Amino acid sequence: KCRVIALEPTEARVHTGASPKPHGVVGWAPGVHSQFLDGFGKAPEELSDAPRGVVDEWGHVATSEAVATCLQVTSAEGMMVGPSSGAAIKYAFDVAARPEAKGSTIVVVLPSHGIRYVAHPLWAAVNAEANEALPPGEAPCSDKEQPILLWASEEYKKA
């Protein structure tokens, strides 16, 4: 059986009738009901978290959980993902932990890649480390004739 789960930020559950509020899951609309999901154009009091249209479950993830999972997946699995993908993975972990999910295959659509958000505060520590490690005033070389690795992190020593 295939189940469809739609996600939105805990802070802005507009698809289930809550008022739009600020959230930090970059990549997700700021409290705007998707035109592609059943319920568009309905008054908030007509919406709930009951299944409707193609959606079997209306999930939600808090900004803090989305960011934490994003960082965890990036550092542990080497998948540089953005906050919205962190939220999708976090919810997939939660679904996989349910007893009824035992033996199931769970497919997660990752809506973003982390490269889009390198200027986001989420990556501040990584940016600071890279800025310290790279030679001052020199951008990484993109010349295809040069070696791929111009410096090795094990050679990098903090002052």
Side-chain angles (χ1 to χ4, degrees), residues 153-159:
S153 47
E154 62 269 5
E155 296 169 5
Y156 167 67
K157 295 186 181 15
K158 281 193 170 187

Side-chain angles (χ1 to χ4, degrees), residues 33-52:
H33 195 296
S34 173
Q35 296 180 38
F36 303 105
L37 296 173
D38 185 43
F40 178 72
K42 289 185 178 179
E45 57 273 5
E46 296 178 65
L47 302 173
S48 72
D49 61 358
R52 66 177 181 274

Side-chain angles (χ1 to χ4, degrees), residues 81-133:
V81 298
S84 55
S85 291
I89 294 168
K90 162 67 171 96
Y91 204 80
F93 289 163
D94 293 348
V95 170
R98 296 175 185 172
E100 67 270 19
K102 185 176 181 176
S104 298
T105 298
I106 297 171
V107 177
V108 182
V109 176
L110 301 182
S112 66
H113 188 281
I115 200 71
R116 295 180 60 195
Y117 309 107
V118 292
H120 189 276
L122 171 72
W123 304 110
V126 174
N127 284 330
E129 181 182 357
N131 287 333
E132 284 183 37

